Amino acid sequence: MKNDMSRRFHTRVITNIIFSAMFACLVDLFLVTNLTMLGEYAVRQGKEGSLEAVFYQPGPVITLLYVLAGIATFSVAFLVLQKKSMDYITRLSTAIQNISEGDLNTTVDVVGDDEFSAMAANLNKMVEDIRRLMDKERESERTKNELITNIAHDLRTPLTSIIGYLELLSGPNSNMSAEMEKKYINITYTKAKRLEKLIEDLFGFTKLNYGKVSMKVTKVDIVKLLSQLLEEFYPNFMDKDLAYELQSNVPAKIINADGNLLARLFDNLINNAIKYGAEGKRIVVKIHAAESTVTVSVTNYGYVIPKEELPLLFEKFYRVEQSRSSNTGGTGLGLAIARNIVEMHGGTIGVTSDLNGTVFTVRLQVDFDINKENFGNPGDRHE
Ligand code: ATP
Ligand code: MG
C-alpha cells in the first residue's frame, strides 16, 4: 500500500519531469530554428555585423544562452506542474502547525490518492483521536470527582453517627442504664460494620474499575459454582423465609472464566434477590447452556423496578428510591461491580422487571480467551 502510493507520487514527478523536458526542448527548438532563420536572413541582406547575424552561426556564448533558456523553461514548467502538490504540502504543514498550537478543529481535505492525501487522512484521524481522548479524559475526571464526592458523603454518614454514639457513651452522662449502653454499643457496631463494608466495596470497585485485578482464567463448572453458592446462602434464605430453585438444562458446564470473580458476580446478584425480593417468597436461578454461550438468570418476585430506573441500576452508587428509603442497607456498588466482572469476561448483563419477576440475565462465553478478548480496562468505558 505504502509502496503503491510512493510509486504513484514517483510516477507523477517523473511524468512532470518528462513533460517539462519535452516542453523545454520544444521551446529551445523553436528558438534555435527561428533565430537561425533570422540570422540567415540578416546575413543574406548583407548585415553581417548586426545582432541577428550572430544567431546564423552560433558560437559557444549563444549555445550557452540556448542551454540557459532551456533550463529556465524546464524549471518554470516543472514548478507549474508541481504547484498543486506544493500547495497541498503547504496546507498540510499549516495544519500541522495549527494542531501543534492546540487547534483541534483543524482538518485537511483529502484530495487525490498519494502519500500526501494519505498523510492528510492520517492527520485528520490523529486529530479526531486526540479530541476523543481529551473528551474521555475530561469525562473520567468528572466521574472521578463525582466518585470522590459520593465516597466522602457515604463515609461521613455512618461515621457521624458512630462519633455521636461514642460521645454519648463516653460523655459525663454516667447515669445511663446498662441496657441503653448495650443498645448504643450495638448501633455503633452496626454502623462500623457498614463503614467496613462500604470501604471494602469501594476498594473492590476501584480495583476492578481501574484494571488492577488480574484475571486467573481456568476451567470452571458454572453449574457446580452456582449450586455451591446457593448452598452457602442457605441460612439467608431461611432467615427471609425464601424458597430457592436451581434449574439447568445440563448437569455440568465447563466454561473458561475466573472462578473467584464469577462467584463475586453471582454473590451480588443472589444477595440482591434476597435483599429486594424477600416479599416474593421465591428465587429462581436458571442456567441455559448452549454451544458457545451460557446464560444465567437470577429471578426474584415482588417489587417491580420502574422501567425508567432499569438502565441506571448498573451505575455506581445508584439505588432505586424504594431501597434508599427502606432499610435494606447497601452502597449501590454491587451491580456496578457485577457489570465490570461480566465485561472482563467479554459477556453481557441485563435486567428486566415486571409482574413476572425481576430478572438479571448474564450471558458468558464458553471459550472465553483473555488474549483474544479486547479486555482493556472496564474503566475506559464512558459512563
Ligand atoms: P450493594 O450491593 O453495594 O451493597 P445495593 O444492593 O444497593 O448495594 P446494587 O446491588 O448495585 O446496590 O443495586 C442497585 C439498586 O438496584 C438497589 O439499591 C436496588 O434498588 C436495585 N436492585 C438491585 N437488585 C434488585 C432486585 N433483585 N430486585 C429489585 N431491586 C433490585
Ligand atoms: Mg447489591
Side-chain angles (χ1 to χ4, degrees):
M1 169 91 178
K2 214 167 193 156
N3 281 341
D4 259 17
M5 278 191 305
S6 81
R7 235 177 282 135
R8 229 167 283 154
F9 183 66
H10 245 96
T11 318
R12 209 170 61 223
V13 171
I14 290 168
T15 317
N16 285 348
I17 290 175
I18 294 171
F19 268 130
S20 310
M22 275 165 51
F23 182 67
C25 285
L26 282 175
V27 170
D28 251 9
L29 199 69
F30 176 83
L31 277 177
V32 171
T33 330
N34 282 289
L35 290 176
T36 312
M37 267 165 55
L38 211 68
E40 192 183 356
Y41 179 73
V43 170
R44 277 214 208 112
Q45 295 289 308
K47 297 182 195 162
E48 266 95 2
S50 69
L51 180 65
E52 300 95 294
V54 179
F55 294 106
Y56 183 50
Q57 272 170 337
V61 178
I62 299 298
T63 311
L64 187 69
L65 277 178
Y66 281 142
V67 171
L68 288 177
I71 291 173
T73 317
F74 172 84
S75 308
V76 171
F78 187 68
L79 282 178
V80 168
L81 288 174
Q82 283 297 109
K83 187 170 179 328
K84 235 167 91 183
S85 298
M86 301 294 276
D87 285 351
Y88 201 46
I89 293 170
T90 314
R91 257 165 42 217
L92 273 171
S93 115
T94 316
I96 291 171
Q97 186 168 356
N98 288 346
I99 294 164
S100 73
E101 283 165 6
D103 179 4
L104 292 180
N105 290 318
T106 312
T107 48
V108 190
D109 293 338
V110 179
V111 182
D113 187 13
D114 57 18
E115 284 135 311
F116 299 113
S117 58
M119 204 193 270
N122 284 337
L123 197 74
N124 291 344
K125 187 177 170 297
M126 188 186 80
V127 175
E128 180 61 34
D129 286 350
I130 296 176
R131 210 183 306 144
R132 209 171 307 135
L133 213 70
M134 283 176 78
D135 284 350
K136 209 163 133 186
E137 197 64 28
R138 248 175 253 141
E139 177 64 19
S140 97
E141 187 62 32
R142 196 187 61 76
T143 321
K144 208 156 66 189
N145 287 342
E146 208 176 275
L147 191 73
I148 292 170
T149 317
N150 283 331
I151 292 171
H153 174 263
D154 280 36
L155 289 179
R156 204 178 48 201
T157 318
L159 199 61
T160 315
S161 41
I162 290 173
I163 293 170
Y165 283 112
L166 286 179
E167 271 168 6
L168 272 178
L169 286 166
S170 62
N173 193 1
S174 51
N175 55 1
M176 190 185 290
S177 68
E179 199 187 331
M180 280 303 260
E181 227 177 66
K182 193 159 185 285
K183 189 180 163 199
Y184 286 172
I185 289 172
N186 270 342
I187 295 174
T188 317
Y189 178 75
T190 316
K191 300 274 175 197
K193 276 305 240 190
R194 158 121 182 78
L195 207 56
E196 185 191 31
K197 179 177 181 315
L198 187 63
I199 290 164
E200 264 169 20
D201 281 359
L202 275 172
F203 207 55
F205 177 76
T206 38
K207 258 169 61 184
L208 271 180
N209 209 33
Y210 295 103
K212 295 226 175 67
V213 169
S214 53
M215 286 174 84
K216 286 181 204 74
V217 178
T218 54
K219 301 269 174 220
V220 177
D221 180 351
I222 183 102
V223 182
K224 194 169 160 198
L225 182 135
L226 279 160
S227 61
Q228 276 176 355
L229 208 58
L230 284 167
E231 260 170 41
E232 284 165 25
F233 272 107
Y234 186 75
N236 307 67
F237 287 123
M238 290 300 103
D239 202 31
K240 292 272 170 90
D241 203 12
L242 274 164
Y244 73 92
E245 210 178 302
L246 174 66
Q247 300 173 1
S248 173
N249 66 337
V250 285
K253 182 73 187 177
I254 306 289
I255 65 166
N256 289 341
D258 181 319
N260 287 333
L261 288 178
L262 280 198
R264 206 156 145 208
L265 154 70
F266 292 113
D267 188 290
N268 276 330
L269 296 184
I270 298 169
N271 230 321
N272 279 351
I274 296 173
K275 211 159 46 165
Y276 307 110
E279 61 190 76
K281 299 287 166 217
R282 196 159 73 94
I283 284 167
V284 181
V285 176
K286 221 183 269 179
I287 303 170
H288 181 86
E291 199 183 320
S292 58
T293 56
V294 177
T295 312
V296 180
S297 60
V298 180
T299 309
N300 60 275
Y301 302 87
Y303 174 67
V304 176
I305 306 171
K307 258 205 161 41
E308 61 280 8
E309 303 214 44
L310 289 178
L312 305 170
L313 297 190
F314 298 97
E315 297 295 318
K316 46 190 169 293
F317 296 115
Y318 190 84
R319 305 199 70 214
V320 176
E321 196 47 49
Q322 169 125 348
S323 333
R324 279 188 185 277
S325 39
S326 64
N327 225 354
T328 43
T331 48
L333 279 171
L335 288 176
I337 291 173
R339 179 172 69 175
N340 271 349
I341 294 175
V342 172
E343 286 180 355
M344 283 169 87
H345 284 85
T348 55
I349 184 166
V351 56
T352 57
S353 185
D354 51 36
L355 290 173
N356 296 323
T358 296
V359 190
F360 282 86
T361 309
V362 173
R363 180 163 291 130
L364 296 166
Q365 303 169 27
V366 171
D367 297 319
F368 170 68
D369 181 349
I370 194 167
N371 299 316
K372 273 196 210 141
E373 203 53 36
N374 183 15
F375 165 42
N377 178 351
D380 286 350
R381 183 188 52 234
H382 276 286
E383 285 180 75

